[in-house]
Amino acid sequence: MFAEELSGNASRKKQDEARNRRRQVKQQQQRRAVTAAAIVSNAPAAGSTTSDTPSAAATVGNNGDTVTSSTPVAVSAAAPLPVSPALFSGPLASNNAPSSSATTTGGASSSSAVAQALEQRRIRTLQRLQTASAVCIQSWFRAVLSNHALLHEERQSFDKRMGDLITLGTILKTAKKTTYVPPPATTSMLSLQLLFIVQPPFRNKSTKDGSKKSIDIKDANRLESLLRHVLLPGILSDDDQLDPLLPWLHSVEGKFRLEKLLRFSVLCFVSCPGMTTIHKSVDALIRALIVGAKARPVIAQHCQKFLLHATSPLEVNEKVDGIVPEKSLDLIWRLRTLLLYGTGAKGEPIPSNAEKMRESCISKQDRDRANIMLLLVLDAIQSFPILRTQLQSRFVAEILTVPLFTWKVTISNLLVEPKGSTGDTTDSPFITFLKAFVETREEALSTGNLKSTLFTEDVPLSKCPAPNVLCLLANLAQMGRLCPSINGSDPTKLNYKAGALFFNLLASLIDLVPLGTFTARRSAVEWVTHGAHHSPIVLSTVVLDQCKILLVDSYVRELFASAINDTALNTEHVITSKNDKDLKLEQDMAAVGSTSAANLAAKEARIDRDRSFWKSSKWAKKLSKTMTSLLSGDNSSSNSSSLQLSSSGIAKGGGSLVNTSSMSRQLAHSGASHDTHTKKAFLSRKESDESTKANMDGVPYSPQFLIALCRAYGTILSRWGGGGKQDIVKRVDNSANKNERSKEAESSEASTTVEPCVLSLLNVICFATNIVKTLGAIIQSDRKVVADLYDIIDSERSPMPIRSMQIRPEYGRSDGGNQGATVLFMFVTCLSHVLIITDDIEIHDMDRPLPPHQLRRIILLLKRLLYRACCVDDVHASSGVSRSISNSNYFGLSLISSSSRTMRDLYDRSSRRPLCTPKMWLIEDLLEKDLKRCKRYDQFASLLSTPVLRVCPFLVSFKRRLRLFERIVTTNRIEIQGSNQLQNLKPGKIVHITRGRILEDGLLHLNHLGRNLRQRLVVQYLNEAGAREAGVDVGGLFKEFWTDLSNMAFDPNFALFRATEGAGNCMYPNPSSLQAHGSDSIVLFEFLGRILGKALYEGITIQPQFAHFFLSFLRGDYNFLHMLPDLSTMDPQLYNNLMFLKTYEGDAADLCLTFTVANDDFGRNDEIELIPNGANIEVTNSNKQRYIGLMAKYHVCDKVKQQSQAFTRGLWEVIDRSWLQLFNEPELQVLISGASDGKIDVADMKAYAKYSGGFSGLDKHVMRFWKVFSSMTSKQQADLLKFVTSCERPPPLGFSCMNPPFTIQRVGVMRDGDKLPSASTCFNTLKLPTYSSEKVMRERLIYSIESGAGFELS
């Protein structure tokens, strides 16, 4: 029993011990949980910072109580702080207290001892982790507190030492009047102490420029004190022993100390706006190190390694995510970042209020700080001769590409011209830097790849809406406007060479800037590519406005006025001198006399036809040569002259071989004459060289400045002039690269329309300077320009197509590239613009803008240029020229477009009053083979898309263009109507016309047909009694209908048309027709247009002569060049008044004119404003040219615009517009009405007449008829022709083209009174009775043609 009792007591004791242990474990866990919760709620934030003075610190005891202290408290590692389990994650922390509690409370659970052991192990592991974490947090917290305490002590120590040094220096300066220089050891110690203070152990996030987000102002002040009182006195001392930096360079630690000090100094300069003392101290430090005479070479050479680099930090990839790191101390880069982000209220590259505040958006403090660093950089660049060129180039590429640079600094620092050692002024830093920039980037500028050398990673477009190249152009334009050596404000200070360099560089930049730079739109957009996405960025209007200073009228006027020196160029002599070719051409013009242009065109067609016969027949050539020899009596003279010509040619060539490949090819293409004309029209190279040399002897003038101006402003005119977008000379083909070529042409960076800035620029250049004559003289006298012109017109000399020519300078070449193309483009563009307000009297009688012989020279030159561009370049481009060269460029296309426009203007002028003989415009045999090759309508119509007919149709003879039009119309008519020859004539639409209701019936039956008027119409006439006339329409009755309709509709009394007052009673729409006929007038004009189209389609010539300007509307492209001459025909009195105003030498304001015009229609007086608010704008000398143009435009165009458009709409429904654009106005009049004077060429009519019914050309009745016809008046001849053909005018190409031909048919009679002459108008046949005498025949013919009967006589 005792044993059992003892054993029972022992078991109970074990149970009690286990219960107590579990209770203790549970209590410990509860205490730890409470303690951890207290730590989490009271512990300081991990990222909190302290100030210089110690702050209150909190410690937590083991019991969970919080103890506060006002001084830093050392925390012992022996008492670790518990950490909440919430700080940990993972499987160990997923189940801690709850699982333990569950285990202990379930004493009777079924878990095994192994599970309990594992649980205990997990708990111990968690405790160890918690203890380690608490130790780590405590260590970090102690380190932070210790660091703050140490920095506080060091700042106090540094301030005390600096205060003692300053006091000592003040005492010594007061007592001994000397500056105290601290020993190098003291300087080194204080420098180390400051660097320790300002270098925090943890890096903060950097800003875009690589500097800290914030620098303590007190630390910056400590740096300023250190520099001014400690470092600078020793560095500036003449005693090397006192310089503290020299010992630093002997050790790696010292060099590192110097770099750290400079870095902190630059960061303080950039990050502390408004602190002038710091800025000046840092500036003085860097100047003492690398700038000036006192800078020690050893120190300067060492500092240059990290203060000035030959290459940009971006170029050597010293960047992370597009940001240059803090370690880069390059001064040029630091200046760029300061200008980008250190100016403006919000640190933006372009301040948001810049457009509103203008220059005031940059504060004076920011501008002063930028000026200090700018001068420092300029002086630093000058102090390193070895790297000077590279540094100057970097300055332009990185500093002058900063947006609004001229607002952020005082640019006079760059524009001052320093004096050399001899007292002479040298180039300003601005010009010097530009020279270095061009020298180091020649290839990029010449190839147009400058953008790739201007790094943009640091300033994305999304944050700075202005590309670097645009900012560079804006800054250069602003600085060039203020630079006296290149702005032309003072001719005595003008540097021609520097000006040429500057504007050539501007030309390269204008070639690259976005297209929206000089557009009229207020906002311009640049597209940014992000992978496969494109997003628009609206460009800064402030930067765009800065670029547009190049277009200011006064600035442009000053530039060209200073660049033009007609005395040095001997302009007047070059322009007025004539050679033998000019005299010969004047003799040819005298032979032409005052013959109208329309008659010359018709005569040229007939002469061309006869010439082609004699050239095509071998026996005719032989006969012509024999007859010439017989008429001359002897052929020895021709042989001798030929021998003399050959001898002179040998003598001139000096026995050397002549390169005849180019000449032979030109002869094969275009005959022998036009190449000779062009070469004789201009001075030879030797003559031009001697002329230029004689002009320039002793004169400090260079035309290179003027050529550079032409290049810069020519780039604007070509890109924004509307002629450089579409490739007008591209051929329509089916080749594999057709779409690719079209894409290349359309992707050209040029505008599609003429921008207003171009017109304003041309007004200033053309009317405020003598640019046309000056450039005309340079084209003929400058050796380089003349040589370039030969390269342009001769494809053998230069294989590059004209459409691929570039205007930007080629710096790699000694001659600067093709100057001739630049000067020629500027010349033809200005000439075309001047011709707008030049009338015929000024051209022919006053030699304005150029003498007629000079205009003939220009015609010969441009003819060669256009011929090559349209007919030769495609051949070369497809057989040997590389793709990179043959791609079209906006300048080449603009050159072709301007040349074509100028030639059209001169051709139109010559059509009014001839400037030259018709053959001078032509390229012989051009298009002849193509016409012979074509057979069908589509083949003939395809010729209209050839470049020569789209760009310069005047190079093709009028006869060939007429023949092409005739073949197009004929083949199309056969396809639609059929023909008797092919036996497929289709039945026509029957139209009943009453003699007394021609207009009403025609409008009723024909006006609604529209384009179906091309179908065959069968006209049946009804007499006044309503009975059908006997005629059968096979074409003749429609001729009769059109003649009767035109006689009524074009009668001025009908009020649809009005006759001109000045010349020829030519018809044009009546401006008052709307009041006379109401809304029906538009319908009538459309109907008449359709009927005129039908007449042209059927080959019918009509009587009315149309006014020149109305014919321009029919072509679809009215040439405003003719407004003033056209006005002289409409209203001679108004024209004379405007000419008086144009030449009025007094003040135009005295005439009391405003921009209004009085309109009087049927007694109703209205005042119409020519421009908005024109009634309140008076006409002055400055705007009278515009007033004259607007007045002429109103009367010639605006008043008849609605009627002309209606007539044109009707015409184009039947005759395609492209068909009519083959001709100019006089030629179109010949197409419509034949020869304008109405005279019939009897010899031509007799040569192509046919005979039938027994007649022949030798019959006495036939000979009698021709004798009678020749003796008739012009009116009677026209009436007889109308009686036979229903047309009183012959076809444009003469009677050889009349179809059917004019035929005389024999009608036998027994007595003279049996029959009258009759006609079959459908077949152009005169049925002539065999009268007994000439007198009877004459009487019967006159009676028949004057009877006015219809077809009853048949």
Side-chain angles (χ1 to χ4, degrees), residues 273-345:
M275 301 184 66
T276 308
T277 56
I278 295 177
H279 303 155
K280 292 182 178 180
S281 298
V282 174
D283 176 69
L285 172 65
I286 299 178
R287 287 180 179 277
L289 295 179
I290 62 175
V291 180
K294 291 188 176 181
R296 292 175 172 81
V298 178
I299 299 177
Q301 184 178 2
H302 176 75
C303 294
Q304 180 268 331
K305 295 179 181 179
F306 44 86
L307 289 179
L308 289 173
H309 298 289
T311 56
S312 172
L314 282 178
E315 190 172 357
V316 296
N317 296 323
E318 290 185 8
K319 58 184 184 298
V320 179
D321 296 331
I323 304 174
V324 177
E326 181 185 355
K327 67 179 182 179
S328 178
L329 290 180
D330 183 79
L331 290 180
I332 297 179
W333 185 257
R334 287 299 177 181
L335 175 60
R336 174 179 173 83
T337 55
L338 173 64
L339 294 174
L340 284 173
Y341 304 106
T343 53

Side-chain angles (χ1 to χ4, degrees), residues 494-523:
L494 185 62
N495 186 334
Y496 291 103
K497 187 175 181 180
L501 170 76
F502 175 75
F503 283 99
N504 278 328
L505 178 58
L506 284 190
S508 300
L509 296 177
I510 297 172
D511 176 64
L512 299 173
V513 294
L515 193 58
T517 303
F518 295 109
T519 57
R521 297 184 299 273
R522 183 58 183 167
S523 60

Side-chain angles (χ1 to χ4, degrees), residues 73 392 900:
V73 178
Q392 291 171 345
S900 174

Side-chain angles (χ1 to χ4, degrees), residues 59-268:
T59 59
V60 182
N62 292 336
N63 57 0
D65 297 334
T66 302
V67 181
T68 60
S69 174
S70 59
T71 59
V73 178
V75 182
S76 175
L81 295 176
V83 179
S84 172
L87 295 176
F88 302 93
S89 61
L92 293 177
S94 59
N95 294 311
N96 45 20
S99 60
S100 175
S101 177
T103 303
T104 56
T105 56
S109 64
S110 60
S111 59
S112 62
V114 176
Q116 294 179 4
L118 292 175
E119 181 65 19
Q120 292 296 328
R121 181 181 297 177
R122 186 186 66 81
I123 293 174
R124 289 192 298 271
T125 302
L126 179 61
Q127 290 177 353
R128 287 194 297 270
L129 289 176
Q130 291 175 346
T131 302
S133 299
V135 172
C136 180
I137 293 175
Q138 290 173 0
S139 300
W140 176 86
F141 192 63
R142 283 195 302 272
V144 170
L145 294 179
S146 301
N147 181 59
H148 281 282
L150 181 59
L151 289 178
H152 177 66
E153 294 176 359
E154 291 296 331
R155 288 187 178 97
Q156 290 181 340
S157 173
F158 181 85
D159 293 341
K160 184 177 182 305
R161 291 170 179 173
M162 286 301 305
D164 295 341
L165 285 177
I166 293 173
T167 302
L168 177 60
T170 303
I171 294 174
L172 292 177
K173 187 173 183 180
T174 303
K176 299 183 179 180
K177 306 298 182 182
T178 58
T179 301
Y180 172 68
V181 179
T186 303
T187 304
S188 301
M189 183 269 296
L190 290 176
S191 300
L192 280 173
Q193 189 173 14
L194 179 64
L195 291 176
F196 175 79
I197 293 173
V198 300
Q199 295 294 329
F202 303 105
R203 177 183 293 274
N204 294 330
K205 188 176 181 180
S206 300
T207 58
K208 285 295 181 184
D209 60 352
S211 61
K212 297 294 182 180
K213 275 188 173 181
S214 62
I215 291 182
D216 195 344
I217 301 300
K218 295 182 179 180
D219 290 343
N221 290 327
R222 293 184 181 98
L223 173 67
E224 189 272 334
S225 298
L226 177 69
L227 296 179
R228 184 155 57 96
H229 298 288
V230 178
L231 279 174
L232 287 177
I235 296 174
L236 297 177
S237 175
D238 296 333
D239 188 358
D240 293 345
Q241 299 296 329
L242 298 179
D243 189 343
L245 301 185
L246 289 176
W248 292 7
L249 300 181
H250 298 313
S251 63
V252 177
E253 296 177 356
K255 294 178 180 178
F256 182 74
R257 186 187 315 142
L258 176 59
E259 182 179 352
K260 288 289 185 180
L261 182 63
L262 287 175
R263 177 175 294 111
F264 182 68
S265 300
V266 172
L267 292 180
C268 287

Side-chain angles (χ1 to χ4, degrees), residues 452-506:
S452 61
T453 65
L454 301 178
F455 305 101
T456 58
E457 291 89 343
D458 61 321
V459 190
L461 265 182
S462 58
K463 296 186 178 180
C464 177
N468 278 357
V469 66
L470 181 64
C471 296
L472 181 58
L473 176 63
N475 293 328
L476 292 185
Q478 294 286 321
M479 299 175 72
R481 181 68 179 89
L482 300 176
C483 184
S485 61
I486 59 176
N487 62 8
S489 59
D490 188 355
T492 60
K493 297 181 179 179
L494 185 62
N495 186 334
Y496 291 103
K497 187 175 181 180
L501 170 76
F502 175 75
F503 283 99
N504 278 328
L505 178 58
L506 284 190

Side-chain angles (χ1 to χ4, degrees), residues 629-869:
S629 301
L630 291 174
L631 292 175
S632 62
D634 189 12
N635 60 355
S636 60
S637 60
S638 61
N639 294 334
S640 63
S641 63
S642 176
L643 179 62
Q644 292 174 2
L645 179 62
S646 301
S647 301
S648 62
I650 295 174
K652 185 176 180 180
S656 58
L657 295 176
V658 179
N659 182 6
T660 60
S661 60
S662 176
M663 298 173 61
S664 300
R665 188 183 55 78
Q666 294 294 342
L667 290 173
H669 277 287
S670 56
S673 59
H674 88 128
D675 184 57
T676 307
H677 290 175
T678 306
K679 291 188 176 181
K680 290 184 178 180
F682 289 89
L683 297 177
S684 66
R685 294 187 183 180
K686 182 177 180 181
E687 292 172 344
S688 64
D689 187 34
E690 292 176 354
S691 175
T692 305
K693 184 177 180 180
N695 295 337
M696 298 306 297
D697 285 342
V699 180
Y701 171 78
S702 172
Q704 294 304 314
F705 180 45
L706 177 59
I707 294 176
L709 281 177
C710 293
R711 196 186 299 276
Y713 286 96
T715 307
I716 297 177
L717 296 178
S718 58
R719 282 196 69 185
W720 288 272
K725 180 67 175 177
Q726 184 180 6
D727 193 346
I728 59 176
V729 296
K730 64 181 179 182
R731 290 185 176 273
V732 179
D733 55 16
N734 297 320
S735 59
N737 62 348
K738 172 183 175 181
N739 296 331
E740 186 177 354
R741 285 186 57 188
S742 300
K743 183 178 180 181
E744 290 169 356
E746 293 300 327
S747 63
S748 179
E749 281 290 328
S751 63
T752 56
T753 58
V754 180
E755 295 293 340
C757 67
V758 171
L759 297 178
S760 177
L761 181 61
L762 284 175
N763 287 336
V764 176
I765 296 176
C766 296
F767 304 130
T769 65
N770 193 31
I771 188 69
V772 174
K773 283 190 175 181
T774 304
L775 294 183
I778 291 178
I779 286 175
Q780 302 173 66
S781 61
D782 188 273
R783 180 181 182 183
K784 175 64 173 62
V785 173
V786 172
D788 290 342
L789 292 180
Y790 276 100
D791 292 340
I792 294 174
I793 62 178
D794 191 349
S795 58
E796 290 290 337
R797 294 171 55 90
S798 176
M800 176 180 289
I802 295 178
R803 57 183 169 82
S804 302
M805 288 185 174
Q806 308 277 353
I807 191 174
R808 57 175 174 262
E810 299 180 23
Y811 293 96
R813 294 174 51 178
S814 59
D815 53 11
N818 196 320
Q819 298 179 0
T822 301
V823 176
L824 180 61
F825 170 75
M826 200 71 177
F827 172 73
V828 296
T829 304
C830 293
L831 176 61
S832 177
H833 193 72
V834 169
L835 288 175
I836 294 177
I837 64 167
T838 306
D839 57 13
D840 295 339
I841 296 178
E842 290 177 307
I843 291 178
H844 293 275
D845 301 335
M846 304 173 66
D847 293 346
R848 295 178 182 173
L850 290 172
H853 75 277
Q854 288 288 342
L855 295 179
R856 286 189 282 270
R857 294 184 181 185
I858 297 303
I859 291 171
L860 293 173
L861 174 64
L862 297 184
K863 179 177 71 172
R864 288 285 305 278
L865 183 146
L866 293 175
Y867 171 70
R868 179 190 171 181

